[in-house]
């Protein structure tokens, strides 16, 4: 397993610790020039997505390259260079439907 996928699975563990919903890891290595994996997760509210992104930022602060988005917008993006994390509210996730956009990319099997 690649280092990027291992790191993505570490992120999954951290998201599960804070009760993120519907976590998906998409392998975009060789498809996207911006990352090897996307991790997509849903929070139950804007407060929850903020807590999820804060938890990742704190636990992985040395690896975090960039954070953007607003809790009020329902989407926070965390850039860990080879792994990009998208934390959404349910409504915003459904609207942007990243899984549909990247439907040709394989999904990484989660360990749960």
């Amino acid at each position: 397993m690649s280092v990027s996928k291992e790191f993505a699975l570490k992120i999954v563990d951290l998201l599960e610790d804070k009760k993120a919903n519907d976590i998906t890891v998409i392998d975009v290595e060789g498809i996207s020039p911006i990352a090897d994996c996307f991790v997509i997760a849903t929070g139950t509210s804007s407060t929850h997505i903020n807590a999820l992104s804060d938890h990742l930022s704190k636990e992985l602060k040395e690896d975090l390259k960039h954070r953007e988005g607003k809790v009020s917008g329902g989407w926070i993006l965390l850039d860990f260079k080879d792994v990009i994390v998208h934390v959404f509210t349910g409504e915003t996730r459904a609207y942007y439907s990243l899984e549909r956009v990247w439907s040709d990319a394989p999904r990484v099997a989660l360990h749960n």
Side-chain angles (χ1 to χ4, degrees), residues 5-22:
K5 288 178 189 161
E6 287 178 9
F7 188 71
L9 292 176
K10 179 178 180 178
I11 290 169
V12 169
D13 287 339
L14 291 168
L15 289 167
E16 288 174 341
D17 287 347
K18 294 295 181 186
K19 309 296 185 212
N21 297 318
D22 197 18

Side-chain angles (χ1 to χ4, degrees), residues 16-68:
E16 288 174 341
D17 287 347
K18 294 295 181 186
K19 309 296 185 212
N21 297 318
D22 197 18
I23 302 169
T24 301
V25 179
I26 301 174
D27 180 356
V28 293
E29 187 175 6
I31 300 171
S32 172
I34 62 172
D36 292 341
C37 293
F38 292 149
V39 178
I40 305 169
T42 302
T44 57
S45 65
S46 58
T47 303
H48 190 211
I49 68 166
N50 194 49
L52 291 167
S53 61
D54 284 350
H55 183 59
L56 292 178
S57 296
K58 179 183 172 191
E59 294 296 318
L60 304 170
K61 64 182 166 222
E62 288 142 19
D63 298 303
L64 182 62
K65 305 299 180 209
H66 183 71
R67 176 180 171 157
E68 66 182 67

